[in-house]
Structure formats: C-alpha cells, structure tokens
Amino acid sequence: MARAASIDRKTNETNISLSLSIDGEGKSELKTDVPFMDHMLDLFTKHGQFDLTVNADGDIEIDDHHTTEDIGICLGQAFKDALGDKKGIKRYGNAFVPMDEALAQVVVDLSNRPHFEFKGELPSSRVGTFDTELVDEFLWKFALEARINLHVIIHYGRNTHHIIEAIFKALGRALDEASTVDPRIKGVPSTKGML
C-alpha cells in the first residue's frame, strides 16, 4: 500500500495544495513564491527520499510568514496521513548533517505526542529576503500537525544559510529513518500497543 497523502488548505491568507509520498525517489515540484523555502524543501525531499509537490499562493506582499507557516501545517498533516497505522515503522530517527562549518542534528519520534525543541542560535535574522525566525515557525507547525516529537540541535556554525540547510537535510534523513518499515517489527513499536 502506497504511503502517500494530499492536503489542500485555503484561507484568506494562503492557498496551498501539497502531495507527499513517503516511499519516493527524492523528487520535488515546488512553487511556493518563497524561494528560500523552495530550496529548503527540495533539500528535505532529496535527503528524505520522499516525493513532494507543493503549490502555494500566499500574501507574500505582506511577508513570507503565512505561506511558510501554512506549508508547515500542510506538510505535517500529509506526513501524518501518509504514515497510516504506523505498523512496522522504526519510529525513531536521528541524523547529524555537516554543511561546511556548520553541524546540525535532528532527532524524531513518530510518537503521536507532538513536541518541539530547538536548541541553538541562528547568527543572522535574514538570509536574503527570508526572515530566519520562520524556520522555527515552520518546524513547530510541522511537528504539531504531524504529531511527532522533533528535536533540532545546532551544534555550531557561523553561516546562517549553512545552518538552516543542515537542519532541513537532517530533518529529511531523520524522518526517512523513523518511517522506514522494519520487517522484524510486528505491529507498532510501542509497549502501549498504539502510537
């Protein structure tokens, strides 16, 4: 059975259509009107071996906040839906990714218990025209809607672009590991009998 989902979200601020396949080939088709997010989502997709299509039209004449936040919401909902009953998944994932002088780590638990921790600082408030505080906003909304436990740790780095790039690559890799089906696991990997 294909682990895939599609989400449509239309508000007065954004109009988003998003499709995700967990068992993909790392292919992306992205049109968000936020070029930096296109770049980060492309990295996330490639390193997670997902297939992702995003068409987003938002009120970027104000700023990138609503579009970035709502993509996080839609991606989280799609990831949760695509996981299905979670039978046989590894559940946990951990990835360290270096990007030149920067090192980021992402640790996930597909637990159905949403929580988000972000440890570390982004040296600059902007990368090009992108407001870097939106990285936190995107990740928190993704974790909440995917109902996952997500920890992001910036070990070090000087270049903000490099740090954020390492985070998104590590996010893809950690989620790929956690969502991998392990034939040794019968049912869901929890003593509770459910996730």
Side-chain angles (χ1 to χ4, degrees), residues 23-171:
D23 304 308
E25 300 175 355
K27 295 179 181 174
S28 63
E29 293 179 32
L30 307 167
K31 225 165 80 173
T32 72
D33 292 333
V34 182
F36 189 75
M37 278 308 298
D38 284 348
H39 179 35
M40 294 303 112
L41 290 170
D42 187 44
L43 297 169
F44 163 81
T45 304
K46 189 70 169 177
H47 286 267
Q49 288 299 296
F50 309 127
D51 288 341
L52 178 65
T53 301
V54 182
N55 285 298
D57 182 25
D59 55 1
I60 58 167
E61 70 280 1
I62 295 173
D63 65 11
D64 296 338
H65 185 107
H66 296 138
T67 302
T68 302
E69 178 182 36
D70 285 9
I71 292 169
I73 290 170
C74 292
L75 184 60
Q77 290 173 350
F79 194 82
K80 178 182 176 292
D81 290 353
L83 276 176
D85 61 15
K86 301 182 184 177
K87 287 182 178 174
I89 64 166
K90 289 187 173 182
R91 178 179 168 178
Y92 297 99
N94 178 32
F96 287 87
V97 170
M99 177 66 195
D100 293 351
E101 87 300 340
L103 179 65
Q105 180 184 11
V106 172
V107 186
V108 298
D109 176 8
L110 309 185
S111 60
N112 202 36
R113 294 163 57 102
H115 187 82
F116 177 56
E117 292 287 339
F118 190 99
K119 301 297 182 189
E121 298 295 325
L122 296 173
S124 301
S125 63
R126 298 187 85 71
V127 173
T129 61
F130 185 79
D131 185 348
T132 58
E133 75 176 8
L134 295 179
V135 172
D136 187 280
E137 195 68 32
F138 172 88
L139 293 169
W140 164 228
K141 293 308 188 302
F142 172 75
L144 183 65
E145 296 295 335
R147 297 196 57 82
I148 67 171
N149 192 322
L150 171 60
H151 291 244
V152 175
I153 304 150
I154 300 167
H155 289 282
Y156 43 80
R158 294 181 305 277
N159 183 293
T160 303
H161 187 132
H162 291 168
I163 294 169
I164 298 171
E165 185 164 325
I167 290 169
F168 274 83
K169 288 175 177 177
L171 178 65

